[in-house]
Amino acid sequence: LRGLLGYQQGDNSLAVTCIEQAITQDPSKPHYHFNFGLVMEKEERWDDAIAAYRQACRLKPAYVEAIANLGNVYRRQRQWKDAITTFQEALTLKPQSPDLHNNLGVVYKEKGAPNQALDQYRQALALAPQHAEALNNMGVVFQDQGKLAESAEAFHQALTLKPAYANAHYHLGLVRLWQAQDAAALSCFQRSAD
């Protein structure tokens, strides 16, 4: 518990020490390894994070949160095949998760597979129409494809759901700039900085 509190308070040194002690005392607890993975991920110690999440999954094979975090570490490492496989595994365990579909969409987008990304964002929105992140991410893909009207609509929908969403304001500002709507673009950029 002290390790998790240290992590939440930003004291990674305390977190590492306490979680390592907990693992030494009882290495059979999957959440200890999961928590260690969180700290390693925060410190960008990717190999240690991967090892910790894998161990959590060995101890608890249906540990969706650990599988998803492992997928995110692979994504951050640009290990596309591993990231996709890992998120697909998580989705077999929890197919109704809009967040998992959104995260898999992010992997596809970053990998350069926009149509597969859009498919995942649409699945996320079919499960949770109020998923502002999926709407924003869909807008970014449309923006990349030069579909400015569709992009602006997605950003507007995301902002209707989450009015202070800085990333959506920023990307909507880019769309407005490309549409030669300078005043609207400036307003969006200002809102993204607030």
Side-chain angles (χ1 to χ4, degrees):
L1 185 59
R2 285 185 55 215
L4 191 55
L5 289 174
Y7 168 78
Q8 291 172 342
Q9 295 171 352
D11 187 345
N12 290 347
S13 178
L14 174 65
V16 168
T17 300
C18 292
I19 295 170
E20 284 178 333
Q21 287 174 353
I23 290 172
T24 299
Q25 290 174 358
D26 189 354
S28 68
K29 301 283 187 187
H31 64 278
Y32 291 170
H33 298 278
F34 176 82
N35 291 341
F36 192 70
L38 290 175
V39 177
M40 295 297 97
E41 189 174 353
K42 187 174 183 181
E43 292 191 347
E44 297 184 359
R45 291 174 50 186
W46 307 120
D47 291 340
D48 293 331
I50 289 169
Y53 291 137
R54 282 184 178 162
Q55 182 60 19
C57 293
R58 275 192 285 280
L59 294 169
K60 183 179 173 184
Y63 201 163
V64 175
E65 294 83 1
I67 297 168
N69 283 14
L70 180 59
N72 278 322
V73 171
Y74 286 138
R75 178 189 61 81
R76 292 184 71 181
Q77 291 294 288
R78 304 177 67 82
Q79 296 178 26
W80 307 128
K81 182 180 177 189
D82 290 332
I84 290 166
T85 302
T86 303
F87 278 115
Q88 288 172 336
E89 177 187 348
L91 281 164
T92 63
L93 297 168
K94 198 172 177 181
Q96 300 300 312
S97 170
D99 291 333
L100 290 174
H101 283 287
N102 182 62
N103 288 345
L104 181 54
V106 170
V107 173
Y108 281 127
K109 193 261 185 219
E110 291 179 2
K111 179 183 182 260
N115 292 332
Q116 290 170 300
L118 287 172
D119 288 343
Q120 290 302 315
Y121 300 144
R122 287 182 180 115
Q123 288 184 52
L125 291 166
L127 294 166
Q130 308 295 315
H131 202 293
E133 289 78 13
L135 285 162
N136 180 71
N137 292 338
M138 182 179 281
V140 171
V141 172
F142 287 143
Q143 185 178 32
D144 290 347
Q145 294 175 332
K147 298 177 180 176
L148 299 184
E150 292 94 331
S151 180
E153 178 59 29
F155 296 134
H156 275 296
Q157 288 179 20
L159 290 166
T160 298
L161 298 170
K162 199 172 170 182
Y165 197 171
N167 200 10
H169 281 293
Y170 173 77
H171 283 285
L172 182 57
L174 290 176
V175 170
R176 295 303 181 221
L177 195 60
W178 293 331
Q179 292 174 327
Q181 298 177 20
D182 296 346
L186 181 60
S187 175
C188 290
F189 291 140
Q190 288 171 333
R191 288 184 188 148
S192 74
D194 289 343

